Amino acid sequence: MTDAGLLSPGTHRGDAHTDDTAVLQALLDVEAAWVAAQADAGLAPPAAAGAARAAARAEDYDAVDVARRAEGGGNPVIPLLADYRRRLEQLDPGAVRFVHRGLTSQDVMDTAMMLVLRRASVPLGRQLRATAEALARLVEAHRGTVQAARTLTQHALPSTFGLKAAGWLAGLQDLEQDVAGLGRLPVAYGGAAGTLAGSLALFPGAPDAAEQAVDLARRWADELGLGTPPHVWHTSRRPVLRSAETLGAVCAALGRIANDVLLLSRPELGELREPAAEGRGVSSAMPQKQNPVLSVLLRRTALTAPQLVAQLHLAASQYVDERPDGAWHTEWPALRELARLAVAASSHAQELTAGLGVDTARMRANLDASGPAVLAERISAALAPLLGPGPDGATGRQRVQAVVREHATDREGMLEALLDLTAGTVLADGTPVDRGLVADLLDPAGYLGANDLLIDRVLARHRRGADAPPAAPGTPAGAADHDAAGGPAGLTPRSSA
């Protein structure tokens, strides 16, 4: 049986870093890195580390066979270990005894999942940065492209497409630190019952065995490019939840872009259009159609991700004792699918934003079609204070609003009616209310609020982020990851002496 993605079109773009081969490779790398960490600590010969790495090639193993045998112990680590030991024995029989000692299956499985996420974060981050660059170009190019702002599906006020694209960009900027955190995930390290007893046994008779066991975890983390955890997290799942929330938020931010594109690319609006590509957007029954497939797939992902995040929260709430009994197993497919979806979605978004077509004339035409009533807020704010009560007792504001309602779609009619209503009035500075002033009030381009300031702030933030060097994988998230002496924080135990 295979899962080629027939029921999840487009997710193949994330397969290279999240499929079964990627998971298998991560599991092997975790085991090999543990041998290498022991060699670095002087507990194993350097040759054992070399052999352990040479034996850790996913293409040398049968993932289907490992998956079937995983039923026996409830996880894939157990059958894979047996295969790994056999292969390593062919390369270096003496190295076999260093494999997995002091570890438990959960240490390996959790650490491998963190490694899968870190590796998936590389294309994810790269594609999101490319998407941000494309959005920044759209923002700058269309800061003056007037269009209707819509609230509750209706035209509300004039705005610009540049400001809309700036909102998309800001949504990605808000996630930059969270996405960077996927490159600083922790190893899982606790042994059979979360006490580190198995690792302490590697240092028999040493008065500082506990400190050396924790230092071995640091060496292991360094080998893998991961971080050292602040505590044993066998049943405290914040690293998983934080990762899931980040991936879910990425899917949501990209889904927000897709929603706008889907709406504005409807033929009756026609303000945006997806980039064309051979074979994309075709219909089996209607050859004239060009469906916005990239946005459809992004929306699919945004609708799927929340349930996966919820599954992980549900699992975390069901952990018991020092090792879980079933809740842990539900994490693996949910977390892997989230990573797969997010990487694929970031690829789709990069392509969508880089080639997004913008019909500026249609944007202006759609805005104009809503008539001068779209400027009711501006007209009322400028003219209502100049008017006294009407013969019927209506306030100045009510008198202006009555004109706006009567001439909602008739610019010239509204212009004349407002001139009649305000005849003989002057502004606070003495400027008479004349045809030129009222005509300016009816120009949508003159009522864009803080458009330029808001756009400049987003672009400045983008430039600061683009100039900052990316954090190296495995770099600690901050000083909290290390104690004052520079060692790993949180896990540092007290000596039994």
Side-chain angles (χ1 to χ4, degrees):
M1 180 177 178
T2 61
D3 178 8
L6 286 177
L7 302 183
S8 52
T11 55
H12 67 278
R13 297 190 182 202
D15 282 350
H17 296 84
T18 61
D19 65 7
D20 280 352
T21 299
V23 173
L24 187 64
Q25 187 62 63
L27 289 166
L28 290 165
D29 288 340
V30 165
E31 291 287 2
W34 182 246
V35 178
Q38 293 175 75
D40 190 52
L43 299 174
R53 292 191 183 98
R57 299 195 314 166
E59 59 266 31
D60 295 333
Y61 296 81
D62 185 342
V64 174
D65 181 59
V66 170
R68 288 173 177 161
R69 290 155 55 212
E71 182 182 24
N75 73 75
V77 176
I78 297 170
L80 181 61
L81 262 176
D83 295 349
Y84 181 60
R85 285 182 169 122
R86 281 194 296 269
R87 184 165 295 277
L88 181 56
E89 189 168 21
Q90 296 172 1
L91 300 176
D92 183 351
V96 174
R97 68 188 185 92
F98 302 107
V99 172
H100 200 73
R101 62 175 187 167
L103 297 179
T104 193
S105 294
Q106 188 174 355
D107 293 329
V108 176
M109 193 70 204
D110 283 349
T111 300
M113 293 305 295
M114 295 296 101
L115 189 56
V116 167
L117 293 184
R118 182 181 74 75
R119 289 171 173 171
S121 75
V122 175
L124 177 66
R126 181 179 64 249
Q127 289 159 184
L128 289 177
R129 286 190 295 273
T131 300
E133 286 291 339
L135 289 176
R137 291 192 294 270
L138 286 170
V139 171
E140 192 61 79
H142 294 285
R143 63 165 58 234
T145 299
V146 181
Q147 71 167 163
R150 297 169 173 88
T151 61
L152 301 180
T153 76
Q154 304 299 301
H155 286 196
L157 289 173
S159 185
T160 69
F161 179 64
L163 187 58
K164 179 180 285 292
W168 297 345
L169 177 56
L172 296 186
Q173 291 172 339
D174 291 342
L175 294 171
E176 287 174 355
Q177 291 303 311
D178 296 323
V179 172
L182 295 175
R184 302 188 292 266
L185 296 172
V187 295
Y189 183 62
T195 65
L196 300 180
S199 293
L200 264 67
L202 302 180
F203 306 93
D208 61 346
E211 285 82 359
Q212 290 195 60
V214 170
D215 185 62
L216 185 59
R218 178 193 61 76
R219 294 173 191 270
W220 189 35
D222 289 347
E223 287 284 340
L224 293 167
L226 295 174
T228 305
H231 55 77
V232 171
W233 54 279
H234 278 184
T235 54
S236 178
R237 308 306 286 175
R238 188 58 191 154
V240 171
L241 296 182
R242 186 180 294 113
S243 302
E245 289 155 7
T246 294
L247 295 170
V250 166
C251 295
L254 298 180
R256 181 259 178 111
I257 298 173
N259 289 340
D260 281 343
V261 174
L262 287 168
L263 172 68
L264 298 178
S265 63
R266 288 173 177 264
E268 55 268 31
L269 295 179
E271 297 182 8
L272 298 176
R273 63 184 178 278
E274 282 200 357
E278 183 67 29
R280 178 184 297 144
V282 297
S283 167
S284 63
M286 295 166 285
Q288 82 283 1
K289 289 186 70 180
Q290 182 65 41
N291 296 318
V293 173
L294 291 172
S295 297
V296 167
L297 295 179
L298 283 168
R299 180 167 166 77
R300 176 276 315 273
T301 293
L303 292 171
T304 303
Q307 286 72 33
L308 297 171
V309 177
Q311 172 58 49
L312 292 163
H313 276 275
L314 175 62
S317 72
Q318 298 300 310
Y319 272 66
V320 295
D321 301 325
E322 282 65 55
R323 294 283 299 282
D325 57 352
W328 177 48
H329 301 71
T330 71
E331 285 183 355
W332 313 332
L335 193 57
R336 192 262 290 275
E337 185 64 11
L338 266 174
R340 182 189 189 200
L341 287 169
V343 173
S346 65
S347 176
H348 291 142
Q350 177 183 350
E351 189 172 351
L352 172 65
T353 54
L356 188 65
V358 181
D359 191 329
T360 59
R362 192 68 176 269
M363 287 180 174
R364 182 58 191 250
N366 288 340
L367 175 61
D368 289 344
S370 65
V374 76
L375 291 156
E377 180 183 73
R378 183 189 196 191
I379 296 166
S380 183
L383 301 182
L386 309 180
L387 302 174
D392 58 355
T395 65
R397 181 180 181 83
Q398 291 170 331
R399 296 172 70 189
V400 171
Q401 288 176 341
V403 169
V404 171
R405 282 195 299 271
E406 182 179 357
H407 302 282
T409 60
D410 179 6
R411 184 181 185 281
E412 290 304 316
M414 185 180 293
L415 175 61
E416 296 300 331
L418 289 174
L419 285 173
D420 289 343
L421 185 66
T422 58
T425 62
V426 296
L427 300 181
D429 62 359
T431 302
V433 178
D434 57 15
R435 182 174 294 274
L437 187 147
V438 176
D440 285 344
L441 290 178
L442 301 183
D443 178 10
Y447 196 60
L448 298 176
N451 179 77
D452 286 338
L453 173 64
L454 295 172
I455 284 175
D456 286 342
R457 286 167 63 90
V458 172
L459 289 176
R461 184 181 176 190
H462 172 71
R463 286 190 289 270
R464 288 195 300 271
D467 292 341
T475 301
D481 290 340
H482 292 76
D483 63 17
L491 267 179
T492 305
R494 296 179 181 176
S495 171
S496 58

